[in-house]
Amino acid sequence: MFSHVMLGSNDIERSKKFYDATFAAFGGNPGMVDPKGRLIYAHNGSMFLLTPPINGEPATCANGGTVGFAMTPEQADAWHAAGCANGGTACEDPPGPREGSPFYLAYLRDPDGNKLCALHVIGS
């Protein structure tokens, strides 16, 4: 259903450091910056992009918005640690299974405040 996700960033170099580290934790490749200054990650026919806003205003995070990435619990733990070590901020509960649900979750905010989630369906 989705072709890409694009988030705003106020500092592409800072975002590249964060996302290169977190994506490497689950087997992703480093991003590339295109001639327009957008940071691009491609995987399995989909893209994840970060860009300075076209209107020249500062990038802001979405209140209530979350971008989720599928991975194993071990990858989620490595992703979370890499994010915290590279400018991200832990949010919500620590990584782990959630009581009453079939999910193993880890949450971070990227350096611009965008909320991210690592998700694994337990038993799959």
Side-chain angles (χ1 to χ4, degrees), residues 9-116:
S9 173
N10 293 306
D11 186 331
I12 292 296
E13 286 184 35
R14 179 183 67 185
S15 291
K16 184 166 180 7
K17 178 183 176 194
F18 174 85
Y19 282 102
D20 280 1
T22 58
F23 289 171
F26 63 94
N29 293 317
M32 61 167 257
V33 178
D34 76 3
K36 293 186 176 186
R38 298 174 294 202
L39 177 56
I40 302 170
Y41 295 88
H43 185 72
N44 292 339
S46 297
M47 292 189 303
F48 181 79
L49 304 93
L50 293 111
T51 186
I54 292 172
N55 66 3
E57 296 293 321
T60 59
C61 57
N63 186 21
T66 303
V67 177
F69 301 98
M71 59 188 84
T72 68
E74 296 79 17
Q75 290 170 330
D77 290 344
W79 172 86
H80 191 269
C84 289
N86 287 278
T89 306
C91 61
E92 306 234 354
D93 293 331
R98 296 303 191 255
E99 187 175 329
S101 83
F103 302 122
Y104 188 101
L105 299 170
Y107 286 94
L108 287 170
R109 290 206 179 263
D110 76 3
D112 287 292
N114 296 298
K115 189 174 180 183
L116 310 171

